[in-house]
Amino acid sequence: MDQLLRYFQRELPAINGFLDKESDQLNGLVKDVAKHIIGSGGKRIRPMLTLLFARALGYEKDDFHAIACSLELLHSATLLHDDYLDDAELRRGKEAAHIVFGRTETILAGDALLALANEMGARYGIARLSWLLAKGIMETAEGEIEEISFSKNPSLDRKIYMDIIIGKTARLIECACRCGAALAGATPEQEDAAGEFGLNLGIAFQLVDDALDYASPTSETGKPEGGDLKEGKVTLPLILLMEEGDKAGVDVLLEALKEKSFTETQLSEVLTLVREGRYSEKTRDEAAVYVEKAKACLSGFQPGEELEVLKQAADFVLTRTK
Amino acid sequence: MDQLLRYFQRELPAINGFLDKESDQLNGLVKDVAKHIIGSGGKRIRPMLTLLFARALGYEKDDFHAIACSLELLHSATLLHDDYLDDAELRRGKEAAHIVFGRTETILAGDALLALANEMGARYGIARLSWLLAKGIMETAEGEIEEISFSKNPSLDRKIYMDIIIGKTARLIECACRCGAALAGATPEQEDAAGEFGLNLGIAFQLVDDALDYASPTSETGKPEGGDLKEGKVTLPLILLMEEGDKAGVDVLLEALKEKSFTETQLSEVLTLVREGRYSEKTRDEAAVYVEKAKACLSGFQPGEELEVLKQAADFVLTRTK
């Protein structure tokens, strides 16, 4: 992981500086909200992937920050709206923006960040970049909506679950990778390979996220343990548990999820069952399959620092503990 | 106005059909919200302007609907978020979307429409179109934010008022006109002329809107009389009134606006003063200046049906009563 760490350490200051400079231009009403969410310790995986694919495909100019950072801003925009609509209290261990700044400021900051992201991607005058970004925005919005729609009518349908994590997470990571390739003027095949890498990595990333929700103490993830469960979100650890349960037990669980009517006793029972059945670990095992698929997409890329870092990034997604 | 009416009657069915078809693809959770706002009787001025400028500049293909309708969807998206954040109860005489469908559905429908609009504009693979749309989205978001920011700290500053109406209304109308020109492959000078027309028309449009708010009975505009005043919005009729008032009276008014603490008596007093001072009519007079500026931008365009309709559209903006 040494190369990954060094690469991130080298590139992150400029990425964070760029995000800072762009959010400084926003209206005073929403600037602090934007800075709150941007500064809340995201991993900057999306901008780094754009940069890595651009360079892996021979891009040598230094003007990649606008498109790379646009993906981070888009991601931040969805977090703002999501946390508000979920009534979430925490984001990465800090108070959620809508609690600190209020609903108007938070909704509008989300709108402003989405608009800014889109504008940053259009600065290059490259139609392909704008198309990729537009599609990424559309798919992310759809994923967000599917997730909330699913939470109103939860089931243990794996297909729906996969559609949701692809929509809300993996498509934007795919988009980040494709944008890097498109910036470098890649062939369609090269862009597709980058996109496939991102899609699989994004799925793995979300699976690990969903596993961590059942596995980690609050202090490390910044989220309350079993937070998804409390919010009525059905994720893979819970689906795995339910797949092995009897019908009556599953129906009771689904009803409680739908109504968000868990008692503390029910909650801790479910958490114990997930722990005993090792469903968090089993979710990680499924993620491992997608990480391997992602790495296989890199076979056609030239050896070099970026290729190494991309491989290490894929492994890191799997092993991360927060 | 005959040509204008005929032109709209001829083109509107296809525009409405396209809007319908596109919104049909949205997720079930937000589809009805989208259809509610789209079907609530907008004038389709933005798509018509795109079409008119494209054709005025020689565009003969029939694939203009995606870019033309993208502006309408953008506009609808901002209405959804605006009405929710304003706690508005009515929109064009119908119950506002958030009251019918709830906050989650309404916020997400706004996000989805914004994303869809952006994606529709990117379908052409024309970098200039994506850039114009991205800029239009950015400026509209900024205008929306400035307006809400202004309502938290109202003043009788005309410059701020003009910035707000340019941002929240005129820039998107400018964008609609520029997009039509860009689709037709216009020269930068032609696109600028179309844009200037739109900007001036948009300012006039909003001035008339603000005049109507003080002038019309509810039944015709679909809005409660003096609705802006009740919502604490400072618009030109009120600025004109305050410019002629004594300082003490103005301070009382500004404080009541800021706190939204008008009594029914105060409200009807202000409405009477605006009526007696003919400030609604005077606002319309200012709009007339912008309509003339808009028409002057058309001097370089070829004579023809579109040019006539554009002139009539400019006049219609001024004379409309709802």
Side-chain angles (χ1 to χ4, degrees):
Chain A
M1 295 284 163
D2 279 7
Q3 263 176 301
L4 174 70
L5 197 64
R6 275 203 305 276
Y7 205 96
F8 269 62
Q9 278 173 346
R10 194 174 76 211
E11 301 294 342
L12 278 183
I15 286 176
N16 287 328
F18 194 90
L19 288 167
D20 227 40
K21 196 191 72 187
E22 289 292 334
S23 49
D24 269 335
Q25 325 262 334
L26 294 172
N27 183 294
L29 187 72
V30 298
K31 194 196 297 187
D32 292 341
V33 191
K35 289 191 165 279
H36 177 86
I37 187 78
I38 293 167
S40 69
K43 303 166 199 76
R44 313 294 186 228
I45 287 178
R46 294 160 194 81
M48 287 303 293
L49 286 172
T50 305
L51 167 58
L52 284 163
F53 275 104
R55 287 203 184 136
L57 290 163
Y59 196 71
E60 289 179 351
K61 286 202 272 178
D62 259 346
D63 65 353
F64 56 83
H65 285 105
I67 182 66
C69 291
S70 75
L71 281 306
E72 187 72 15
L73 293 186
L74 259 183
H75 175 57
S76 302
T78 63
L79 295 182
L80 289 175
H81 285 191
D82 266 0
D83 285 347
Y84 171 65
L85 295 177
D86 282 351
D87 295 315
E89 290 174 12
L90 292 176
R91 163 65 56 190
R92 296 169 186 153
K94 287 167 67 176
E95 262 191 313
H98 63 102
I99 291 175
V100 183
F101 301 99
R103 71 162 192 176
T104 299
E105 289 75 1
T106 301
I107 299 292
L108 291 176
D111 291 351
L113 284 179
L114 182 71
L116 178 59
N118 198 39
E119 187 262 340
M120 278 159 54
R123 284 182 200 167
Y124 298 84
I126 300 175
R128 181 76 194 158
L129 276 186
S130 288
W131 169 248
L132 289 171
L133 208 52
K135 219 160 142 261
I137 295 174
M138 188 71 214
E139 288 168 336
T140 305
E142 282 170 350
E144 210 178 327
I145 291 165
E146 264 180 69
E147 180 174 38
I148 291 182
S149 180
F150 185 51
S151 77
K152 290 184 189 261
N153 193 15
S155 73
L156 40 70
D157 189 325
R158 266 198 196 222
K159 162 104 183 45
I160 298 180
Y161 168 73
M162 287 305 292
D163 281 351
I164 289 169
I165 70 172
I166 287 172
K168 76 167 188 171
T169 304
R171 288 291 178 200
L172 204 56
I173 293 182
E174 175 186 352
C175 179
C177 299
R178 281 187 185 271
C179 283
L183 184 67
T187 64
E189 293 72 27
Q190 289 172 321
E191 193 202 289
D192 284 345
E196 277 287 300
F197 172 89
L199 183 67
N200 284 298
L201 191 75
I203 294 171
F205 184 87
Q206 189 59 50
L207 286 172
V208 171
D209 225 50
D210 292 346
L212 282 169
D213 192 79
Y214 280 93
S216 303
T218 306
S219 57
E220 233 183 317
T221 59
K223 293 176 200 167
E225 193 191 356
D228 286 344
L229 186 62
K230 284 179 207 160
E231 286 174 27
K233 277 186 194 163
V234 176
T235 59
L236 192 56
L238 199 61
I239 291 176
L240 292 174
L241 168 68
M242 290 196 287
E243 281 175 350
E244 296 183 13
D246 58 274
K247 194 180 170 309
V250 168
D251 285 347
V252 170
L253 201 55
L254 286 176
E255 190 55 27
L257 281 162
K258 191 171 169 179
E259 302 301 327
K260 296 183 188 175
S261 63
F262 277 110
T263 62
E264 282 300 318
T265 320
Q266 277 178 310
L267 271 175
S268 86
E269 264 174 30
V270 173
L271 291 176
T272 305
L273 287 173
V274 169
R275 213 174 298 125
E276 286 174 357
R278 299 181 50 79
Y279 296 117
S280 173
E281 290 81 353
K282 286 174 185 167
T283 297
R284 237 180 231 275
D285 292 344
E286 301 217 7
V289 177
Y290 287 97
V291 166
E292 286 315 307
K293 279 192 197 177
K295 289 202 283 191
C297 299
L298 298 174
S299 61
F301 287 81
Q302 293 294 320
E305 187 181 13
E306 279 75 23
L307 187 63
E308 273 319 300
V309 174
L310 282 167
K311 285 181 193 167
Q312 291 185 7
D315 288 329
F316 174 73
V317 160
L318 198 61
T319 53
R320 73 197 176 94
T321 54
K322 63 174 182 176
Chain B
M1 296 285 163
D2 279 6
Q3 263 177 299
L4 174 69
L5 198 65
R6 273 203 304 278
Y7 206 95
F8 269 62
Q9 279 172 345
R10 195 174 74 212
E11 302 294 342
L12 278 183
I15 286 176
N16 287 327
F18 194 90
L19 288 167
D20 228 39
K21 196 191 73 187
E22 289 292 334
S23 49
D24 270 335
Q25 327 262 333
L26 294 171
N27 182 294
L29 187 72
V30 298
K31 194 196 296 187
D32 292 342
V33 191
K35 288 191 164 279
H36 178 86
I37 188 77
I38 294 167
S40 69
K43 303 168 198 72
R44 314 293 187 227
I45 287 178
R46 295 160 193 82
M48 287 303 294
L49 286 171
T50 305
L51 166 58
L52 285 162
F53 275 105
R55 286 203 185 137
L57 290 163
Y59 195 72
E60 289 178 351
K61 286 202 271 177
D62 258 346
D63 65 353
F64 56 82
H65 285 104
I67 182 66
C69 291
S70 76
L71 282 305
E72 187 72 15
L73 293 187
L74 258 183
H75 175 58
S76 301
T78 63
L79 295 182
L80 288 176
H81 285 190
D82 266 359
D83 285 346
Y84 171 66
L85 295 177
D86 283 351
D87 295 314
E89 289 173 14
L90 291 176
R91 162 65 56 190
R92 298 171 186 150
K94 287 167 67 178
E95 261 191 312
H98 63 102
I99 291 176
V100 183
F101 300 99
R103 72 163 190 176
T104 299
E105 290 75 1
T106 301
I107 299 292
L108 291 177
D111 291 351
L113 284 179
L114 183 71
L116 177 59
N118 197 40
E119 187 262 340
M120 277 160 54
R123 284 183 200 165
Y124 298 84
I126 300 174
R128 180 78 193 157
L129 276 187
S130 288
W131 168 248
L132 289 171
L133 208 52
K135 216 159 145 262
I137 295 174
M138 187 72 214
E139 288 168 337
T140 305
E142 281 170 350
E144 209 178 327
I145 291 165
E146 262 180 70
E147 180 174 38
I148 291 182
S149 179
F150 185 51
S151 78
K152 290 183 188 261
N153 193 15
S155 74
L156 41 68
D157 188 325
R158 265 199 198 224
K159 162 108 182 44
I160 298 179
Y161 168 73
M162 287 305 291
D163 281 351
I164 289 168
I165 70 172
I166 288 172
K168 77 168 186 171
T169 303
R171 288 292 179 201
L172 204 56
I173 293 182
E174 174 186 352
C175 180
C177 299
R178 281 188 185 270
C179 283
L183 184 67
T187 64
E189 293 72 25
Q190 289 172 322
E191 194 201 289
D192 284 346
E196 277 288 300
F197 173 89
L199 183 67
N200 285 298
L201 191 73
I203 293 171
F205 183 87
Q206 189 59 49
L207 287 171
V208 171
D209 224 50
D210 291 347
L212 282 170
D213 192 79
Y214 281 93
S216 303
T218 306
S219 58
E220 233 183 319
T221 58
K223 294 175 200 167
E225 194 191 356
D228 287 344
L229 186 61
K230 284 180 205 156
E231 286 174 26
K233 278 186 193 161
V234 176
T235 60
L236 192 56
L238 199 62
I239 291 176
L240 292 173
L241 168 69
M242 291 196 288
E243 280 176 352
E244 295 182 12
D246 57 275
K247 194 182 170 311
V250 167
D251 285 347
V252 170
L253 200 54
L254 286 176
E255 189 57 26
L257 281 163
K258 190 172 170 177
E259 303 300 329
K260 297 183 189 175
S261 63
F262 277 110
T263 61
E264 282 300 317
T265 320
Q266 277 178 310
L267 271 176
S268 87
E269 263 175 31
V270 174
L271 290 176
T272 305
L273 287 172
V274 170
R275 215 175 296 129
E276 286 174 358
R278 299 181 52 80
Y279 297 117
S280 172
E281 290 81 353
K282 287 175 185 165
T283 297
R284 238 179 230 275
D285 293 343
E286 302 218 7
V289 178
Y290 288 96
V291 166
E292 285 314 308
K293 279 193 198 177
K295 289 202 283 192
C297 299
L298 298 174
S299 62
F301 287 80
Q302 294 294 320
E305 189 181 11
E306 278 74 22
L307 186 63
E308 273 320 300
V309 174
L310 282 167
K311 285 181 192 164
Q312 291 186 7
D315 288 329
F316 174 73
V317 159
L318 198 60
T319 53
R320 72 195 175 98
T321 55
K322 63 177 181 175

